[in-house]
Amino acid sequence: MYRILIIEDENDINNMIKAALGKAGYECVQAFSGTEGVLYAKTEKFSLILLDLMLPGITGEEALTKIKEIQNTPVIVISAKDSLDSKVELLTAGADDYITKPFELKELLARVAVQIRRYSGTHEDKAEKLQYKDIALYKDSFKVTVKEDPIDLTKQEFRILELLMLHPDRVFSKQDIYDYAWDDYYIGEDKTINVHISNIRKKLKTVSDEDYIETVWGIGFKMK
Ligand code: CA
């Protein structure tokens, strides 16, 4: 469920936006001043923030700056101010989009959908990235970097490192590793895993002197 924070001091407009977004399947939280909006942004996570500019207390512009310091949630500014200067200023200040009052709900919904798609898209990418110390592993692209330098791993080496990085505190037996990294059954060849681990270590060493993988004698391997 995507959560949207609506910062708008006019009750009618705030309620109207909430109703329209609610109908479209979004969960909405309403704030009626800039101060309240910033407070919500500080304490809760949102998929998107709609921000009116003419607000009591701190202005929308100030709220925008504060929100962008707190979270990288996309912000769509809604305002009657439609001079080109203020649009450019707001986009420069970190607004992701701009809607001028009066607006059609259809337009608002379309712009909301675009921002949410963009934002959740980048989030899925992040979920597909594993990070352990300075090793980054990108599951989708089969890419591994150490200190941002790419290293070349075979498919099995990649899968082994992926498993270890998924649970860095856990010790994995050779059986576990084989089951995860190979499609066929474990055939009890301990040497195979040792060779692959040793290759991964060598490849990591080409970039960093650090020892990343620990051998737990008699049990298996884990991240250090
Ligand atoms: Ca207002």
Side-chain angles (χ1 to χ4, degrees):
M1 174 75 101
Y2 294 114
R3 297 183 79 227
I4 299 178
L5 174 63
I6 307 165
I7 309 174
E8 162 69 73
D9 61 313
E10 281 158 84
N11 279 322
D12 289 353
I13 299 179
N14 198 322
N15 289 335
M16 179 191 76
I17 295 174
K18 187 192 175 193
L21 292 175
K23 226 169 122 186
Y26 300 106
E27 188 192 326
C28 295
V29 173
Q30 294 173 290
F32 296 91
S33 73
T35 318
E36 193 188 2
V38 170
L39 196 66
Y40 272 119
K42 268 187 189 155
T43 49
E44 295 179 32
K45 196 83 189 109
F46 297 97
S47 312
L48 177 76
I49 296 173
L50 295 174
L51 175 66
D52 177 35
L53 281 193
M54 305 288 262
L55 292 165
I58 65 165
T59 65
E61 287 90 339
E62 287 169 308
L64 176 63
T65 312
K66 286 193 199 292
I67 288 166
K68 283 290 169 178
E69 282 166 12
I70 303 161
Q71 48 178 299
N72 64 344
T73 305
V75 175
I76 300 180
V77 163
I78 302 176
S79 176
K81 285 185 183 174
D82 61 353
S83 80
L84 184 64
D85 273 357
S86 83
K87 275 186 200 181
V88 171
E89 271 169 34
L90 284 165
L91 293 172
T92 315
D96 297 83
D97 202 357
Y98 192 105
I99 299 179
T100 310
K101 282 179 184 171
F103 55 87
E104 299 265 339
L105 283 173
K106 249 167 74 182
E107 185 191 357
L108 177 73
L109 286 171
R111 287 178 187 262
V112 163
V114 167
Q115 292 303 325
I116 295 229
R117 207 180 311 130
R118 235 192 60 201
Y119 182 66
S120 58
T122 48
H123 266 236
E124 278 160 25
D125 290 347
K126 276 183 193 154
E128 291 306 309
K129 179 189 169 190
L130 293 177
Q131 183 83 42
Y132 178 79
K133 292 182 179 169
D134 41 27
I135 308 174
L137 183 145
Y138 301 86
K139 293 168 95 170
D140 282 346
S141 52
F142 278 96
K143 211 178 87 182
V144 175
T145 61
V146 183
K147 294 180 175 167
E148 277 153 36
D149 265 2
I151 58 166
D152 237 357
L153 297 183
T154 66
K155 185 187 161 199
Q156 262 77 38
E157 291 162 3
F158 182 91
R159 297 278 288 164
I160 293 169
L161 187 62
E162 180 185 359
L163 177 65
L164 296 176
M165 283 175 69
L166 274 169
H167 306 280
D169 297 322
R170 215 179 114 185
V171 183
F172 290 97
S173 69
K174 287 172 182 173
Q175 173 85 61
D176 295 333
I177 293 172
Y178 204 96
D179 288 346
Y180 188 83
W182 274 263
D183 298 325
D184 47 355
Y185 294 107
Y186 183 56
I187 37 160
E189 277 203 88
D190 280 7
K191 259 170 76 182
T192 313
I193 306 290
N194 290 344
V195 169
H196 280 84
I197 293 276
S198 140
N199 286 341
I200 297 169
R201 281 180 170 143
K202 268 184 225 157
K203 289 176 181 180
L204 295 172
K205 271 257 148 66
T206 58
V207 181
S208 166
D209 278 339
E210 187 161 347
D211 257 340
Y212 297 97
I213 302 173
E214 186 181 339
T215 304
V216 182
W217 292 108
I219 305 174
F221 301 93
K222 70 183 281 289
M223 296 309 278
K224 243 178 183 161

